[in-house]
Amino acid sequence: MDNPSDSLASALDAAIRILTRRNHSRHEMARKLRQRRFTKAVIDAAIARCEQLGYMDDAETAAGYFRELIRKGMGGERIRFEMNKKGLSGDTVERLLEAYAGGPDETAAACGLLTRRMASFERESDPQKRREKIFRFMYSRGFSADITIEALQKNVEKTPSG
């Protein structure tokens, strides 16, 4: 790696191999290339080239990861946390969260999650303890108390014994 062009070519090759598995944010790619001991200048150049070629796009990566987290049953706050861990933040993420958090889509996600998990909560015979467990679980998934209450009310309406 004495020749700078060889180093850039190696970094670009490594970046493309990394991107064949899944989309990565600039932040993730920089971390992975640093682990491979490329210099900051070479990393920046390789990432810039990947973006020029259309192989990397943080906005597209954010949108895809956002949809994946919703499918996994995450609330707005947990999504924000997970996106920040990947180095995805800014206007794109805020617009996605603004449209989702506190709205009908987040409520629907909370209702779906609660419906899927309700059987495990129903094993708790004490209603107060059951409610506390539900709130802790939903909070850990990033749902607010208001969304959790709404999901609980909708879940009770669906339950014939409720």
Side-chain angles (χ1 to χ4, degrees):
M1 283 205 208
D2 294 337
N3 185 343
S5 64
D6 287 343
S7 185
L8 176 57
S10 297
L12 189 57
D13 184 54
I16 291 169
R17 275 194 319 269
I18 290 167
L19 289 168
T20 59
R21 292 180 204 99
R22 68 169 176 84
N23 284 341
H24 287 70
S25 66
R26 289 180 61 86
H27 174 79
E28 289 177 301
M29 183 60 72
R31 182 178 44 79
K32 288 187 176 195
L33 292 175
R34 268 194 311 275
Q35 289 172 343
R36 288 168 172 77
R37 305 220 186 287
F38 291 106
T39 65
K40 182 176 178 354
V42 169
I43 291 169
D44 291 343
I47 289 173
R49 185 68 179 135
C50 284
E51 288 174 335
Q52 285 173 346
L53 294 169
Y55 298 158
M56 281 181 66
D57 180 354
D58 271 4
E60 186 180 307
T61 300
Y65 191 50
F66 186 80
R67 287 188 301 272
E68 179 184 333
L69 293 173
I70 289 172
R71 274 192 309 277
K72 288 182 177 182
M74 304 286 176
E77 287 307 309
R78 179 73 181 267
I79 290 173
R80 176 177 276 115
F81 174 77
E82 295 295 332
M83 299 280 266
N84 281 330
K85 273 185 13 184
K86 286 194 176 286
L88 297 166
S89 58
D91 291 342
T92 303
V93 172
E94 289 307 315
R95 277 194 302 278
L96 291 167
L97 284 167
E98 191 175 297
Y100 174 71
D105 291 340
E106 186 178 24
T107 302
C111 288
L113 177 63
L114 194 53
T115 299
R116 288 190 306 272
R117 296 294 180 99
M118 204 59 186
S120 66
F121 294 122
E122 287 173 349
R123 286 182 278 208
E124 177 58 62
S125 58
D126 182 346
Q128 181 61 32
K129 285 183 180 179
R130 179 185 317 132
R131 190 171 172 86
E132 289 170 1
K133 285 182 178 185
I134 290 169
F135 270 84
R136 278 193 304 273
F137 172 73
M138 297 299 280
Y139 181 78
S140 75
R141 289 296 187 102
F143 293 104
S144 69
D146 291 340
I147 295 288
T148 300
I149 290 168
E150 196 171 338
L152 271 169
Q153 289 170 342
K154 288 183 179 188
N155 192 278
V156 168
E157 292 169 4
K158 285 190 235 175
T159 309
S161 63

